[in-house]
Amino acid sequence: TPVDGESSYTDILPSALFRYEVDPNTIVRLAWTNTLARPGFFELVPYREIAVEDNELSVGNPGLDPTRSMNIDLMVEKYSGTIGLVSGGVFYKSIQDFIYVLEERDAVDAFSGRTYDSIFRPVNGASASLVGFEVAVQRQLDALPGVGVFANYTFTHSSTENPALSNEKIDLPGTAKHSLNTSLSYTKGPLDLRASFNYNSSYLDPDALDLTPGLERYYDAV
């Protein structure tokens, strides 16, 4: 039972998982799941942190709701004996109450009445949706004993309302459109060598958001 000022919700998270074996080396998986992510402890603490020189205020938000997601995943996996795997799949997620840090500029603090250049506060966003696909390859090379390769790529398209302009759609903060991971390995006896490359495209920074068009902050591609 929630206490005064605490949000009320129940943790009912149904799921259904299906697995179909086309042949001994080919498997199709379908999953419908519901997940929940609670706010971080520090986000819920009613703290007040003032940066005097920058005239900025950061505050907590005890009224945050957890983020909920309904997920549908379809995956096909093709195994090659004991030394290889090729897989591909599509996914869809419907998200409610995602959490980001809102930046309000030239804002008045309701507690002190003072005007700050920026006030930062974690808040719940509107609903959001994600749809995308992923592919992966893992293989030990027959022609080069001890050499293995691994690669996966994920494409994600996300959409949610812009809190600063309700008739404008934006990407879900913190969600990169492209993600790539690759690895080349060599193993023989006690020797284990590995070289890896990872890439994420740019995305809206969820840690400080002024979503007024033209003032958005992005986390650059890495």
Side-chain angles (χ1 to χ4, degrees):
T1 302
V3 299
D4 291 343
E6 195 177 63
S7 58
S8 175
Y9 53 87
T10 54
D11 299 339
I12 300 175
L13 303 172
S15 64
L17 309 175
F18 301 90
R19 179 184 184 275
Y20 178 69
E21 191 172 292
V22 180
D23 58 52
N25 294 321
T26 306
I27 298 173
V28 178
R29 303 179 191 273
L30 176 63
W32 170 68
T33 58
N34 290 270
T35 54
L36 178 148
R38 300 183 189 282
F41 177 76
F42 187 67
E43 294 173 322
L44 289 170
V45 173
Y47 71 89
R48 293 173 58 82
E49 180 180 336
I50 299 173
V52 177
E53 292 185 359
D54 297 325
N55 193 33
E56 294 178 347
L57 172 67
S58 298
V59 297
N61 185 356
L64 283 174
D65 288 325
T67 299
R68 293 177 175 273
S69 179
M70 187 279 291
N71 319 293
I72 299 175
D73 296 272
L74 175 64
M75 177 72 69
V76 179
E77 302 170 350
K78 179 69 174 179
Y79 294 88
S80 176
T82 60
I83 59 174
L85 166 67
V86 177
S87 66
V90 294
F91 58 87
Y92 170 79
K93 300 178 184 294
S94 177
I95 298 175
Q96 305 290 330
D97 295 323
F98 66 89
I99 297 171
Y100 68 98
V101 177
L102 176 67
E103 177 185 2
E104 299 175 286
R105 301 193 178 192
D106 297 322
V108 177
D109 172 31
F111 178 77
S112 65
R114 176 177 172 179
T115 299
Y116 288 91
D117 292 345
S118 292
I119 297 179
F120 300 94
R121 184 177 75 258
V123 296
N124 289 110
S127 60
S129 63
L130 289 86
V131 62
F133 68 88
E134 55 186 336
V135 292
V137 177
Q138 184 173 339
R139 178 81 183 181
Q140 294 295 124
L141 301 183
D142 298 329
L144 298 172
V147 177
V149 295
F150 168 79
N152 66 27
Y153 167 75
T154 303
F155 170 82
T156 303
H157 172 74
S158 62
S159 178
T160 187
E161 291 184 358
N162 186 340
L165 196 63
S166 60
N167 61 350
E168 178 187 271
K169 294 291 186 179
I170 59 171
D171 292 339
L172 177 65
T175 303
K177 182 166 289 188
H178 304 282
S179 176
L180 173 68
N181 303 283
T182 63
S183 179
L184 177 67
S185 63
Y186 175 74
T187 303
K188 185 175 182 179
L191 181 63
D192 189 352
L193 303 176
R194 190 176 305 271
S196 298
F197 173 79
N198 310 97
Y199 171 79
N200 277 285
S201 58
S202 61
Y203 56 83
L204 275 171
D205 188 350
D207 290 332
L209 288 180
D210 179 345
L211 292 175
T212 304
L215 298 179
E216 308 95 325
R217 189 171 85 174
Y218 281 83
Y219 195 95
D220 203 0
V222 294

